[in-house]
């Protein structure tokens, strides 16, 4: 509820940024925040960590978040240093709130709150505390099409790399998460996704070529070539 | 015929425990255990009126055959009157073949005395020594029966004087073993000698035998033997010296009745608390105490279902009793208490301590189980006897419709012989049967066929073990999400501790303090001894040597699962791992539980163990069989060259007059065609047998091709993985 009250303080004209990794959670948070507030974010912030095993930020395919921002028609800040990125967003877009896609990781939430707090920003996490299985099932209803670009958990084999999360695959993922005991939303670093389409995108992303790499217990799906395309159901 | 008893009469005798003896026959293969037991059953088998009618009409053995019964009954009761007093004998089956060693030790626990049968020509052999040593370990009192005396006359042509000298040597040899293996306080008491009738001579085949008293009674002796086999009347011998009288009089005289035996045997064979009520009850064989029974054999009867046979150490067991199955942690009801009358079961309603009941209705009883009226009774045998089958074949019914029948037959065989392990290969759907040697599987295959099932079997496959010859680590592996680090080091586990695990003396169901105590007795320092996380039944230990690590307790099950998975699927070829001490050296978990789920920690621990193993000079162990070949001296040359052509070793050779006995070892993988080769090379004159001996490193020249072929058969990627594939850098 703390987040709900934070939202209450956001006035109708207060600009916000989305901490945007390009995955399903930040995209979904962006959709829900826009619905709730009635207007889109002012800017998307992507932190591109130098350490591929970074505990907080995604690494895989972050170079393609620019294409996603373009699809959404939004400005995009990409930095290695979180402080620099936030300062840029405050200076350039007068943001007052930072929206994140956190669901269950207290660790991530605390880290975001710490950094946002040091700039006087509020944090809004519209997905926080959701039932993970229900959340995963709602993705398709929300119009978010995500592709698995990193699999790193017992129970997820290389077959998941590049797989699109349609209803069937989401059910399969939920079953596996129960059997092997991982977070169905992949919140514990069990995997990463890359969003190809969202209600906030004006155009969809088409992947032309990609490379799957497997390291025995985990793997990544690296996009080599992608472009924007008209949405299949474009009016 | 006094041995026909009504059930009531039989119970009257067995409730007077002075008149009960529980004994077994132990012998080296071919020394005449079966002939001797058959002969005792035929002459002294206790019969109930229900079979008496039939039995009167024909020879007892014919009845056996007609009913298609084998004398492999778990227990056979014999009846014999000694000095005018009736006695009932439970003759409990003790398998002689070392391939089934687990069973031997278990049945020794149920008996108080053993008749050691030795071939007069061959004398004391390896299995005589092995089983006698085990018997003495359990404080089972031996008497000696020297069988096949006729061979001394017919084959060695010994005169009566020479015969006596020859036999004295055998007796001296047996007493020497008793001196070596018996505990000091039993050493002299347990020795055998002719003068006190604890030694008998005979020929089970010809159904005669005598002790000194019997010989004196008719003023006979070795001269009679010599005469009988040099043209005299052999049949006369069996009426003058009935074999059962020789053997059973030794048993009455020298084997203790159950209540006497339990007084000195219980402190040795039951490791529970000596101040407890249970201890008092079983050491006194108290029929008014709580029911405590050890199951030695389980038979699956087509009509009655599971029949659990064993020694009742205290209490009186009755129809309808609810008993705890200590090892399997269940409670079940005894439907019917039976006792044996000869080889047949008869319902008796109840039996007192000291006897050998056969219980119906205990669906989950396994051989080795302890039954008790008291819930947390300390078991007679650890949770499981760990069998390590070395050879596997696939079994398939010719008619696919017979598959359910086959599976049932196999399951029943496993219940009766836990060394025969049956499992379904989940990937191929094949039914796999594993055993202690090619011979063991051949016997099992024949038993299935005897049940009318038409089956096809595959070529045997050898089971290997993976182990390490050096130490390595600590190495670090991260979880798949890279948020957790597990540090592992490995070293070879000392052999005596591996043996403790494989014999079930330390196991995962034990209190960790108790495990620690045993490890300290084996030279471990106190800190390490108290840190066992888990005992892997394949012969490995997982030890915690972390210092003040956070979240360890809630993560330990996941880490343990990773360790166990690595022990099941070793890094070289996915074979079981054996003889490893795996140390959890350090652990850096993510602070948030969402990031350190089972799915993250299990693979991290597994990879760290595999990576460390690959750095510790891993190798494969192969099962090696002891091979014994017997025959006339002319087989020596051909057999010696068979040993060397089969990567084998000839270890010992004895020549006794014209006979040769060769002992050696051959890797199990080289024994598939041994039968044909020995037959061919010796013109069928050699008698031979094999038994599991040990696990031995595969010679380095064969290692790589072997690993490649196992990986290929299992569909694994070519080539052993590199350590770096499992180990991460900080």
């Amino acid at each position: 509820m703390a987040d709900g009250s934070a939202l209450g303080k956001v006035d109708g004209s207060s600009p916000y940024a989305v901490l945007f990794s390009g995955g399903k959670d930040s995209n979904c948070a962006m959709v829900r925040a826009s619905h709730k507030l009635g207007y889109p974010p002012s800017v998307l912030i992507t932190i591109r960590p130098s350490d591929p095993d970074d505990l907080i930020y995604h690494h895989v395919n972050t170079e393609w978040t620019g294409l996603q921002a373009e699809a959404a028609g939004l400005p995009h800040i990409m930095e290695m240093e979180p402080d620099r990125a936030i300062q840029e967003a405050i200076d350039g877009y007068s943001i007052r709130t930072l929206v994140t896609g956190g669901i269950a990781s207290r660790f991530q939430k605390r880290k975001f709150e710490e950094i946002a707090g040091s700039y006087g920003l509020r944090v809004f996490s519209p997905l926080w505390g959701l039932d993970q299985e229900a959340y995963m099932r709602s993705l398709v209803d929300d119009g978010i099409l995500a592709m698995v670009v990193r699999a790193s958990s017992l129970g997820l084999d290389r077959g998941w790399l590049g797989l699109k999360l349609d209803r069937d695959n989401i059910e399969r993922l939920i079953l596996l998460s129960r059997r092997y005991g991982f977070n169905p939303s992949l919140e514990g670093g069990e995997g990463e996704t890359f969003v190809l389409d969202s209600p906030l995108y004006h155009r969809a992303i088409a992947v032309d070529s990609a490379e799957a790499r497997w390291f025995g217990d985990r793997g990544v799906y690296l996009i080599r070539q992608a472009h924007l395309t008209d949405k299949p159901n474009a009016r | 015929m006094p041995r026909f008893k009504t059930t009531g009469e039989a119970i009257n005798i067995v409730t007077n425990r002075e008149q009960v003896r529980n004994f077994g026959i132990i012998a080296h293969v071919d020394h005449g255990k079966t002939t001797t037991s058959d002969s005792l059953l035929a002459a002294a088998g206790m019969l109930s009126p229900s079979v008496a009618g039939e039995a009167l009409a024909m020879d007892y053995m014919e009845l056996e055959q007609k009913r298609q019964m084998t004398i492999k009954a778990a227990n056979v009761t014999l009846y014999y009157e000694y000095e005018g007093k009736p006695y009932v004998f439970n003759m409990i089956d003790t398998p002689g073949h070392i391939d089934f060693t687990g069973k031997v030790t278990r049945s020794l626990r149920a008996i108080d005395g053993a008749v050691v049968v030795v071939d007069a020509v061959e004398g004391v052999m390896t299995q005589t020594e092995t089983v006698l040593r085990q018997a003495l370990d359990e404080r089972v009192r031996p008497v000696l029966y020297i069988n096949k005396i006729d061979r001394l006359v017919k084959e060695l042509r010994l005169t009566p004087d020479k015969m006596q000298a020859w036999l004295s040597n055998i007796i001296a040899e047996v007493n020497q073993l008793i001196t070596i293996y018996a505990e000091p306080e039993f050493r002299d008491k347990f020795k055998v000698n002719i003068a006190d009738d604890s030694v008998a001579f005979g020929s089970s085949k010809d159904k005669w035998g005598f002790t000194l008293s019997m010989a004196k009674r008719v003023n006979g002796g070795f001269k009679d033997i010599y005469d009988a086999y040099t043209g005299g009347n052999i049949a006369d011998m069996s009426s003058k010296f009935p074999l059962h009288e020789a053997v059973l009089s030794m048993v009455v005289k020298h084997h203790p009745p159950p209540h006497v035996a339990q007084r000195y045997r219980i402190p040795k064979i039951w490791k529970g608390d000596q101040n407890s009520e249970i201890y008092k009850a079983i050491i006194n064989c108290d029929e008014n105490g709580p029911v405590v029974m050890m199951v030695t054999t389980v038979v699956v009867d087509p009509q009655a279902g599971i029949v659990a046979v064993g020694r009742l150490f205290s209490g009186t067991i009755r129809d309808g009793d609810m008993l705890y199955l200590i090892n399997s942690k269940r409670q079940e009801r005894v439907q019917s208490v039976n006792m044996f009358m000869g080889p047949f079961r008869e319902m008796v309603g109840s039996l007192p301590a000291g006897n050998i009941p056969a219980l119906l209705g205990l669906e989950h009883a396994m051989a080795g189980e302890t039954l008790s009226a008291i819930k947390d009774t300390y078991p007679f045998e650890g949770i499981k006897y760990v069998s390590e089958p070395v050879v596997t074949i696939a079994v398939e019914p010719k008619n696919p419709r017979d598959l359910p029948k086959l599976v049932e037959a196999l399951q029943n065989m496993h219940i009766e012989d836990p060394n025969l392990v049956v499992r379904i290969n989940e990937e191929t759907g094949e039914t796999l049967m594993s055993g202690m040697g090619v011979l063991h599987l051949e016997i099992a295959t024949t038993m299935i066929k005897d049940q009318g099932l038409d089956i096809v079997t595959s070529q045997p496959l050898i089971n290997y073990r993976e182990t390490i010859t050096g130490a390595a680590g600590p190495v670090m592996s991260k979880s798949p999400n890279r948020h957790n680090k597990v540090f592992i080091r490995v070293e070879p586990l000392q052999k005596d501790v591996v043996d403790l695990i494989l014999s079930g003396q330390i196991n995962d169901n034990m209190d960790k303090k108790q495990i620690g105590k045993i490890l300290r007795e084996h030279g471990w320092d106190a800190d390490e001894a108290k840190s066992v996380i888990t005992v892997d039944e394949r012969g490995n230990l997982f030890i915690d040597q972390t210092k003040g690590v956070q979240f360890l307790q809630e993560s330990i099950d996941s880490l343990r699962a990773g360790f166990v998975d690595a022990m099941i699927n070793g890094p070289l070829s996915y074979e079981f791992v054996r003889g490893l001490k795996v140390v959890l050296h350090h652990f850096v978990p993510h602070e948030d539980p969402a990031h350190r789920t089972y799915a993250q920690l299990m693979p991290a621990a597994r990879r760290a163990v595999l990576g460390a193993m690959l750095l510790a000079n891993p190798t494969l162990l192969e099962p090696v069989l002891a091979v014994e070949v017997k025959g006339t001296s002319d087989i020596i040359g051909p057999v010696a060259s068979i040993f060397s052509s089969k990567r084998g070793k000839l270890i010992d050779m004895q020549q006794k007059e014209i006979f040769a006995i060769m002992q050696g070892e051959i890797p199990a993988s080289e024994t598939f065609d041994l039968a044909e080769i020995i037959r061919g090379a010796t013109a069928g004159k050699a008698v031979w047998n094999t038994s599991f001996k040990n696990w031995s490193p595969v010679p380095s020249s064969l290692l790589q091709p072997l690993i490649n072929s196992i990986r290929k058969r299992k569909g694994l990627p070519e080539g052993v993985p590199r350590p770096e594939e499992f180990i991460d850098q900080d």
Side-chain angles (χ1 to χ4, degrees):
Chain A
M1 285 328 284
D3 303 295
S5 53
L7 173 69
K9 288 175 200 150
V10 178
D11 67 62
S13 59
S14 165
Y16 66 95
V18 174
L19 200 53
F20 187 78
S21 69
K24 59 180 172 47
D25 301 340
S26 48
N27 272 280
C28 189
M30 176 164 95
V31 169
R32 294 201 178 181
S34 305
H35 274 294
K36 197 92 187 174
L37 301 170
Y39 59 95
S42 304
V43 61
L44 303 181
I45 297 175
T46 301
I47 309 297
R48 193 171 183 210
S50 51
D51 176 3
D53 291 343
D54 192 276
L55 294 180
I56 307 170
Y57 302 104
H58 288 206
H59 182 76
V60 183
N61 297 321
T62 37
E63 65 267 37
W64 294 98
T65 49
L67 195 64
Q68 289 172 316
E70 194 186 331
L74 290 172
H76 185 221
I77 296 169
M78 180 146 81
E79 288 290 349
M80 298 224 297
E81 286 300 320
D83 292 287
R84 244 178 108 162
I86 288 171
Q87 195 59 56
E88 261 182 70
I90 292 170
D91 294 348
Y93 303 90
S94 313
I95 60 154
R96 305 277 302 278
T97 303
L98 194 60
V99 169
T100 81
I103 302 168
S105 172
R106 287 195 293 274
F107 169 73
Q108 256 179 21
K109 188 166 188 283
R110 200 185 70 225
K111 291 281 175 193
F112 291 148
E113 279 167 2
E114 272 169 21
I115 190 158
S118 68
Y119 289 91
L121 298 178
R122 296 188 198 95
V123 173
F124 174 37
S125 305
L127 310 179
W128 181 255
L130 290 181
D131 175 78
Q132 293 191 38
E133 292 186 2
Y135 162 65
M136 290 302 286
R137 291 189 173 111
S138 72
L139 280 176
V140 178
D141 298 328
D142 280 358
I144 288 170
L145 177 62
M147 181 172 78
V148 177
V149 293
R150 174 169 137 148
S152 45
S153 172
L154 185 68
L156 298 180
D157 61 18
R158 66 176 81 201
W160 282 90
L161 296 176
L163 214 60
K164 289 178 181 139
L165 290 180
D166 58 15
R167 286 187 201 278
D168 283 353
N169 287 332
I170 286 172
E171 288 309 319
R172 216 150 57 83
L173 184 68
I174 289 172
L175 276 178
L176 288 171
S177 75
R178 288 181 187 167
R179 186 192 304 171
Y180 291 99
F182 60 80
N183 298 288
S185 69
L186 312 179
E187 179 77 349
E190 291 93 341
E192 291 173 13
T193 56
F194 184 80
V195 167
L196 302 172
D197 199 2
S198 148
L200 293 185
Y201 291 7
H202 306 297
R203 303 185 77 193
I205 292 168
V207 174
D208 303 311
S209 69
E211 183 194 346
R213 284 197 194 159
W214 189 252
F215 308 107
D217 64 332
R218 65 191 196 285
V220 291
Y221 191 76
L222 304 172
I223 298 171
R224 294 291 179 226
Q225 195 84 52
H227 68 276
L228 292 181
T229 174
D230 286 337
K231 291 199 181 196
N233 55 353
R235 267 162 270 164
Chain B
M1 284 266 240
R3 62 196 178 95
F4 296 100
K5 294 285 159 198
T6 66
T7 311
E9 286 171 318
I11 292 175
N12 274 342
I13 305 170
V14 299
T15 46
N16 185 358
R17 48 203 188 182
E18 282 291 349
Q19 286 155 275
V20 175
R21 295 292 185 277
N22 298 315
F23 80 100
I25 295 182
I26 60 184
H28 188 78
V29 173
D30 298 333
H31 281 198
K33 195 184 94 175
T34 311
T35 334
T36 308
S37 349
D38 286 0
S39 176
L40 291 178
L41 178 60
M46 183 162 72
L47 297 181
S48 66
S50 62
V51 291
E54 283 174 80
L56 280 172
M58 66 179 86
D59 177 70
Y60 192 82
M61 295 308 288
E62 271 176 55
L63 173 74
E64 291 293 316
Q65 281 155 10
K66 203 177 155 197
R67 289 204 173 190
Q68 301 265 309
M69 285 187 42
T70 51
I71 313 286
K72 77 173 199 58
N75 178 22
V76 158
T77 49
L78 307 173
Y79 177 89
Y80 171 64
E81 288 173 10
Y82 179 74
E83 293 177 349
K85 210 166 153 194
Y87 288 86
V88 168
F89 302 81
N90 287 300
M91 180 165 69
I92 293 158
D93 185 44
T94 52
H97 206 283
I98 310 187
D99 270 5
F100 320 120
T101 313
K103 237 168 153 182
V104 177
T105 327
R106 184 176 297 140
S107 44
L108 289 174
R109 205 146 286 183
I111 61 178
D112 302 316
V115 175
V116 182
V117 179
V118 172
D119 180 308
V121 172
E122 294 177 1
V124 171
M125 297 286 292
T126 45
Q127 286 171 45
T128 325
E129 180 169 343
T130 310
V131 187
L132 179 58
R133 188 185 69 216
Q134 289 174 345
L136 292 167
D137 258 357
E138 303 266 330
R139 296 188 180 164
V140 170
R141 167 134 200 205
V143 294
L144 175 64
Y145 166 54
I146 303 179
N147 188 21
K148 305 194 192 181
I149 302 285
D150 51 308
R151 291 186 72 191
L152 299 182
V153 184
K154 289 193 294 190
E155 296 172 36
L156 300 186
R157 315 220 165 271
L158 300 184
T159 61
D161 282 351
K162 283 218 169 128
M163 228 190 283
Q164 231 168 330
W166 179 277
L167 294 170
S168 306
N169 281 338
I170 294 179
I171 297 167
E173 239 182 304
V174 171
N175 279 330
Q176 203 186 342
L177 293 179
I178 295 171
T179 310
I180 297 170
Y181 295 121
E183 297 158 87
E185 65 262 49
F186 298 99
R187 206 168 275 161
D188 290 326
K189 217 173 120 198
F190 279 8
K191 275 188 187 156
V192 296
N193 69 71
I194 302 180
D196 71 359
D197 287 341
S198 55
V199 176
F201 310 98
S203 164
S204 297
K205 176 173 66 70
D206 295 327
K207 300 183 173 62
W208 66 266
F210 61 71
T211 58
L212 182 64
S213 305
M214 284 169 73
K216 272 186 185 157
R217 206 170 55 209
V218 295
N219 219 350
F222 292 108
K223 179 85 169 58
D224 295 271
I225 306 171
Y226 186 81
D227 292 345
Y229 288 100
T230 47
N233 187 346
I234 299 169
D236 226 27
M237 290 290 286
S238 67
S239 49
K240 209 149 68 173
F241 306 117
L243 174 65
H244 73 279
E245 195 182 327
V247 174
L248 297 180
S249 68
M250 287 200 292
V251 172
V252 172
K253 234 174 132 175
H254 295 285
H255 289 173
H259 60 292
V260 174
Q262 280 179 222
R263 210 162 295 145
Y264 62 82
R265 293 192 64 218
I266 290 297
K268 177 82 184 189
I269 63 179
W270 191 73
K271 311 283 186 201
D273 179 7
Q274 300 206 349
N275 297 313
S276 62
E277 288 301 313
I278 294 174
Y279 182 76
K280 266 179 228 156
I282 56 181
I283 199 170
N284 291 318
C285 193
D286 182 359
E287 52 193 60
N288 299 315
V291 166
V292 178
M293 170 167 161
M294 178 176 167
V295 177
T296 52
T297 316
V298 172
V299 184
V300 184
D301 183 289
Q303 275 88 44
I306 305 271
V307 183
V309 182
R311 167 81 173 251
L312 183 58
F313 286 99
S314 81
T316 298
I317 205 161
R318 295 183 177 84
D319 290 357
D321 277 358
M322 284 299 285
L323 294 179
Y324 290 98
L325 282 64
I326 302 298
N327 289 341
S328 60
K329 299 187 168 53
R330 297 169 192 272
Q331 202 185 12
E332 291 187 336
R333 185 178 301 277
V334 176
Q335 268 168 19
S336 166
V337 176
N338 289 207
M339 73 169 272
F340 284 92
M341 300 277 272
F344 301 103
R345 279 184 291 106
E346 295 288 340
M347 291 192 275
V348 290
S350 75
L351 272 179
N355 280 287
I356 309 293
L359 305 178
L360 274 54
L362 303 177
E363 288 305 315
H364 291 90
M366 290 279 281
E369 180 66 274
T370 299
L371 307 175
S372 176
I374 294 175
K375 194 173 177 187
D376 44 8
T377 302
Y378 193 88
F380 273 89
E381 188 175 321
I383 186 77
K384 61 190 108 178
Y385 162 71
V386 185
S387 66
E388 288 197 284
V390 298
V391 189
T392 300
I393 54 173
V395 191
E396 198 188 332
K398 271 199 186 133
N399 185 342
R401 273 183 313 183
D402 285 342
L403 186 62
K405 261 201 257 170
L406 173 65
V407 170
E408 198 195 332
L410 289 170
Q411 278 165 350
N412 288 346
M413 285 166 68
H414 171 65
I415 292 172
E416 295 179 8
D417 175 6
N419 275 325
L420 201 67
V421 178
V422 181
R423 67 189 174 88
I424 312 279
N425 181 333
E426 280 170 25
E427 275 143 48
T428 61
E430 283 174 309
T431 308
L432 301 174
M433 177 165 80
S434 304
M436 302 308 293
V438 181
L439 184 66
H440 188 198
L441 292 180
E442 271 170 20
I443 294 170
T445 308
T446 313
M447 281 166 70
I448 299 170
K449 286 182 177 158
D450 286 349
Q451 295 177 38
L453 277 165
D454 231 354
I455 52 167
V456 197
T457 56
S458 71
Q459 272 294 311
L461 288 176
I462 298 295
N463 306 336
Y464 293 89
R465 292 289 183 272
E466 300 193 14
T467 194
I468 53 173
T469 55
V475 302
M476 185 272 283
S477 294
K478 290 183 184 175
S479 57
N481 67 4
R482 323 305 278 161
H483 299 172
N484 306 277
K485 297 172 185 172
V486 178
F487 295 76
I488 293 284
R489 58 187 167 81
V490 296
E491 58 185 91
L493 186 60
Q494 71 205 66
K495 193 188 167 300
D496 52 340
V497 176
V498 176
D499 290 342
L500 287 174
I501 298 171
L502 291 169
S503 59
Q505 291 177 66
I506 58 178
N507 62 62
D508 231 9
N509 289 53
M510 276 163 80
D511 186 57
K512 293 288 182 283
K513 277 189 195 136
Q514 208 180 345
I515 295 177
K517 185 168 164 261
I518 297 173
L519 288 175
R520 282 201 309 278
E521 287 162 9
H522 287 261
W524 283 43
D525 78 60
D527 176 52
E528 212 173 24
K530 71 169 171 23
S531 316
V532 172
I533 300 169
T534 201
V535 179
D536 175 61
E537 61 184 37
R538 283 156 284 268
N540 308 289
L541 286 181
F542 190 32
I543 313 282
D544 172 22
Q545 290 286 275
T546 60
K547 300 276 179 284
V549 167
Q550 269 194 308
F551 311 122
L552 184 60
Q553 271 326 301
E554 52 191 282
S555 307
I556 205 75
D557 284 341
S558 304
L559 299 173
R560 174 191 292 130
F563 158 77
V564 170
D565 191 80
M567 297 302 100
I568 294 172
N569 297 306
L572 297 180
S573 55
Y574 270 55
E575 294 283 305
F576 286 173
V577 171
R578 178 193 167 92
L580 249 72
K581 179 156 124 190
V582 176
V583 178
L584 179 63
H585 178 79
H586 189 42
F587 175 48
V588 184
H590 192 287
E591 63 175 72
D592 192 325
H595 295 252
R596 49 179 157 88
T597 55
Y598 173 88
Q600 296 300 331
L601 300 183
M602 182 279 196
R606 175 180 160 270
R607 292 177 69 242
V609 175
L610 295 177
M613 280 187 73
L614 286 170
L615 289 174
N617 296 320
T619 191
L620 286 184
L621 301 174
E622 64 176 343
V624 173
L625 302 185
V627 180
E628 179 188 275
V629 189
K630 299 189 283 199
T632 44
S633 319
D634 55 331
I635 67 162
I636 293 174
V639 171
S641 60
I642 292 172
F643 273 106
S644 57
S645 72
K646 291 283 185 190
R647 292 202 284 123
K649 256 193 290 204
L650 180 58
I651 291 165
D652 183 39
M653 194 182 70
Q654 294 173 51
Q655 268 185 281
K656 296 192 174 174
E657 302 287 321
I658 53 165
F659 294 97
I661 300 160
M662 304 171 75
Q663 316 260 12
E665 57 177 48
I666 297 181
S669 60
E670 304 279 344
T671 59
F672 296 158
D673 58 353
L674 201 59
E676 285 157 54
I677 291 188
I678 293 183
R679 201 182 311 122
T682 65
K685 281 189 293 185
V687 178
W688 64 285
N689 66 77
T690 65
S691 57
F692 175 73
K693 188 170 182 191
N694 57 28
W695 293 96
S696 175
V698 170
S700 52
S701 60
L702 300 176
L703 187 60
Q704 207 50 53
L706 178 61
I707 291 173
N708 292 345
S709 78
I710 300 174
R711 291 188 72 91
K712 196 170 167 202
R713 164 163 66 78
K714 292 184 175 177
L716 298 170
E718 219 174 297
V720 172
R722 289 169 296 114
E724 304 81 66
E725 293 174 40
F726 298 116
I727 296 171
D728 293 303
Q729 299 307 321
D730 234 332

